Amino acid sequence: MNGTGQNKALQWNRESDDATLPAQSPAGVALSTPLPVNTWTCLEFRLDCTAGRLDTWVNGALVTGLVVDGAPTQDVDQQWLARGGWRPAPGDLRLGWESYGEGDDTLWYDDAAVGTSRIGC
């Protein structure tokens, strides 16, 4: 999965079939949030491989457009769940930035942490 900023909002992109979370419709994008610029931002995500759940928080606030909860929600996780039996199965963690457009972006990371329970901001 990749976290990207298409349509000026955060999204998850599943590499296996290029499905996005949320859907790139106006309604789906409105349920996400843009990544703030020129400030430190806390981004958290939790994967529950058993329940097939993904939750995402920005600065401590749950982002409803970046949640896979097992119940298909139009414009959010419907396309992810349309592929029956989806469960997150991370093999590694990579931090970086992927740009498909013109111009340069700078992204700084500090205090990256991995745990078995939510750490918080």
Side-chain angles (χ1 to χ4, degrees):
M1 286 182 309
N2 295 313
T4 61
Q6 184 177 351
N7 289 322
K8 299 183 181 178
L10 288 173
Q11 71 177 22
W12 289 108
N13 180 283
R14 188 169 58 197
E15 284 185 309
S16 62
D17 61 358
D18 207 27
T20 62
L21 177 74
Q24 294 304 294
S25 65
V29 171
L31 293 171
S32 186
T33 186
L35 185 62
V37 297
N38 299 320
T39 186
W40 287 105
T41 302
C42 179
L43 174 68
E44 302 172 85
F45 69 95
R46 174 178 55 202
L47 295 172
D48 183 332
C49 299
T50 303
R53 187 173 177 101
L54 167 66
D55 298 291
T56 309
W57 297 267
V58 173
N59 291 327
L62 184 67
V63 181
T64 58
L66 298 176
V67 170
V68 177
D69 61 8
T73 303
Q74 185 172 342
D75 296 309
V76 180
D77 62 355
Q78 185 175 23
Q79 65 179 331
W80 275 42
L81 295 173
R83 181 190 227 184
W86 177 82
R87 296 281 188 267
D92 61 6
L93 174 65
R94 300 177 192 189
L95 300 176
W97 180 261
E98 217 170 287
S99 177
Y100 298 101
E102 301 275 329
D104 295 329
D105 292 309
T106 301
L107 186 63
W108 294 80
Y109 295 93
D110 188 28
D111 297 331
V114 177
T116 58
S117 61
R118 188 167 173 214
I119 297 168
C121 296

